[in-house]
Structures are given as structure tokens and as C-alpha cells.
Amino acid sequence: MMTIILLYAAEGLPAGIFHDLVAVWLLEAHNISLGSLGLVSLLALPWTLKALWSPLVDRWSTAARWISSALVAVGLTTLALPWLPMGTPVWAMLALLTTASATADVAIDGYTATVVPAEFHGRVNGWRVAAYRGAMLIAGGGAVAAAAWMPWPALFSIIGGTALGLAAWAARLEPIP
């Protein structure tokens, strides 16, 4: 069960980063307009379109490699964001973050569906949702609340470091039987 909880925490982390932390950071640190912030939400499109590349994820390589690689991309992107000049570099990094996160979602969901016996899917689903939402809340609202007393680069470093730690852990996942 701990594996499932950590996997879904890893899945919720980037959602909190993108939807809450980055949104407030863009408004507070870069004074972007609300209209521009609305356009940033288009960068969440990979989460909607992930079904297009999910067959590739299911058939090529292992879940551990997909998950850990995607989390490395999320972690490094998160670490880099506060240091980039506003404009194309930030938008490109956000697109990379959401695409990597969507790819991790596919691999995590596929792995979980395979390793959890069918009779436990209902029970496990509650833990999946709780872990996802808890991580989203901590990486999003929790980090935004901490922004009152912590500089943006430190916040992004803590969250990015957490993603990298989860990536190192996910690299050691047991192969699907």
C-alpha cells in the first residue's frame, strides 16, 4: 500500500506545482496579467491528451523507467523555473513539466492497475485519491502559504527536490509480473 501512496503522491505533486504554485508565482513574482495566466492554463493540455501516447508508454520500456524519468523532468524543471527569464523559457519549461507529469500519470495508472489485484481496486482507489490530493495540496497551497516567509527559489527547490527523491525511489520499483 505504501508503494501506491507514494506513486499517487508523485502523481499529485506536479498538479499542485502547475495549478497553484506556478500560478501564484507568476502573479506575484512576475506580475503577469490574469488574461496571460488564463493562457498559461493551455499548457495543461498534455493532461487531456495523454491518451494519445499512452500506448507507447504501455509497450515500450518499463513503468519504473517511465515514472522515474518523468519525475526527473518534473524535478529539474521545477528547480529551474525561478531562475529563468520570463517568456519563452518559462513557457517551454511549463510545457515540459505538464507533458512529463502526464506521462508519469499514464505509467503510474498502468502499473497500479497491473500490480493491484482486481478485488482490491475499490479500496486502493481511496488511498490513491487521498495521496494524489494530499500531494497536490502540499505542493500547491502549502507551498503558496509558505511563500509568505520563504523566497520563491527555496520553495521551488524543496518541491523540485521532492520530485527528484520520488524519481530515485520509483527507479527501484519492482517489475510488473
Side-chain angles (χ1 to χ4, degrees):
M1 191 59 77
M2 186 54 70
T3 298
I4 302 303
I5 290 168
L6 287 173
L7 284 172
Y8 281 88
E11 193 170 312
L13 188 79
I17 293 167
F18 181 78
H19 292 296
D20 296 324
L21 180 62
V22 165
V24 173
W25 170 68
L26 289 171
L27 289 170
E28 295 285 322
H30 295 289
N31 298 317
I32 71 164
S33 69
L34 290 176
S36 295
L37 186 59
L39 289 174
V40 170
S41 68
L42 289 173
L43 295 173
L45 204 53
W47 280 307
T48 302
L49 301 175
K50 63 187 172 186
L52 297 177
W53 64 88
S54 63
L56 173 68
V57 173
D58 287 341
R59 287 181 178 84
W60 188 68
S61 196
T62 65
R65 284 190 184 132
W66 280 110
I67 296 165
S68 62
S69 297
L71 289 173
V72 165
V74 167
L76 293 177
T77 300
T78 304
L79 289 170
L81 276 171
W83 306 104
L84 296 173
M86 185 47 62
T88 303
V90 168
W91 311 138
M93 284 294 185
L94 290 175
L96 175 61
L97 183 137
T98 57
T99 302
S101 174
T103 302
D105 291 0
V106 169
I108 290 168
D109 291 343
Y111 183 82
T112 302
T114 304
V115 299
V116 174
E119 63 269 15
F120 294 112
H121 279 200
R123 262 184 263 165
V124 168
N125 194 48
W127 286 102
R128 290 168 50 182
V129 171
Y132 179 93
R133 297 210 181 243
M136 192 170 84
L137 181 64
I138 291 167
V144 168
W149 52 270
M150 185 180 281
W152 291 110
L155 283 171
F156 279 84
S157 294
I158 291 168
I159 302 296
T162 301
L164 292 173
L166 286 166
W169 167 80
R172 300 184 328 221
L173 283 173
E174 293 292 323
I176 296 173

